[in-house]
Amino acid sequence: MLYNISAVIFLSREYFRVMDNEIKKLTKKYESNMIISGRGMLFLGLWSVFKLVVGFIFGADDIIDSQLDIAEIDEATTELIVWIIVAATCMVIILLCLYIGINAIRYGRGTKRKKGFLVIAAIIGVLNIVGIPGYFTEISTSDWDSAIASALVDLTFASMSFDMVYSAIRLGILHKERLKEA
């Protein structure tokens, strides 16, 4: 009888040691995913700003002529207004990506446990997916390669955002399991 009790105690200790190692491995995996996604968010934020500015530079005349046809304002003022709008949009993109990226890295390292940035990351992921069909409307035959490349970058951006959210959810579950075992 004493042998059976000691065997059960030994096996239960071994079981919890194996479970603890498994939880540690999964925790490390999802923490690494958070850090990588945070760094990717920083990079793709810069890429989005670059793409916006270059797209504006090469299409500025079309935007000014077709979108802002205001008779009372001369062309230089109109161009200045458009540049201010582009600069403000770039600042918003940079600030959002910095906020999400830095908080994801902190979350992955365990220094911050607030999850508010994940809501913004999910919204950005959804907006990237919703915006993909826009690359393929009114497109000429010569622009297919850039439309496909832009769509792939946006898909990467969206998948990274969703992976960040998923990893944070899994980390929360693993953290709760660890607390149960302790």
Side-chain angles (χ1 to χ4, degrees):
M1 177 77 171
L2 186 60
Y3 174 74
N4 289 339
I5 293 173
S6 64
V8 168
I9 291 172
F10 174 75
L11 289 176
S12 65
R13 284 182 185 164
E14 190 63 30
Y15 171 77
F16 285 118
R17 187 176 318 129
V18 169
M19 287 301 293
D20 192 45
N21 285 339
E22 193 65 30
I23 289 173
K24 284 180 184 177
K25 284 181 190 176
L26 288 173
T27 300
K28 183 67 177 163
K29 173 187 170 185
Y30 292 121
E31 286 174 346
S32 295
N33 282 357
M34 289 294 291
I35 293 170
I36 290 169
S37 294
R39 289 177 182 164
M41 186 64 72
L42 295 173
F43 174 74
L44 285 175
L46 292 174
W47 172 253
S48 295
V49 168
F50 175 74
K51 186 172 72 170
L52 179 67
V53 170
V54 169
F56 175 71
I57 289 172
F58 288 117
D61 294 334
D62 295 335
I63 293 172
I64 293 170
D65 292 340
S66 65
Q67 301 295 326
L68 296 172
D69 191 20
I70 303 171
E72 296 86 29
I73 301 176
D74 63 345
E75 189 173 329
T77 307
T78 305
E79 190 172 341
L80 179 66
I81 291 170
V82 171
W83 271 110
I84 290 172
I85 292 170
V86 168
T89 305
C90 290
M91 287 302 298
V92 168
I93 291 171
I94 288 286
L95 291 175
L96 282 176
C97 290
L98 275 173
Y99 175 73
I100 295 169
I102 289 171
N103 284 319
I105 292 169
R106 287 179 182 165
Y107 193 89
R109 291 184 178 155
T111 59
K112 186 173 183 179
R113 288 292 172 196
K114 293 184 180 178
K115 298 180 185 179
F117 69 96
L118 295 172
V119 174
I120 299 171
I123 291 170
I124 287 176
V126 169
L127 289 176
N128 276 307
I129 289 176
V130 169
I132 289 175
Y135 292 123
F136 300 103
T137 57
E138 299 178 19
I139 189 169
S140 65
T141 309
S142 63
D143 293 334
W144 275 98
D145 55 347
S146 66
I148 291 171
S150 295
L152 289 175
V153 169
D154 281 358
L155 277 175
T156 303
F157 207 0
S159 66
M160 183 183 50
S161 298
F162 295 138
D163 182 53
M164 184 184 306
V165 172
Y166 177 76
S167 295
I169 291 169
R170 293 294 299 163
L171 280 172
I173 292 169
L174 290 171
H175 184 67
K176 286 180 184 177
E177 286 181 16
R178 248 183 163 167
L179 290 177
K180 283 182 187 176
E181 289 183 10

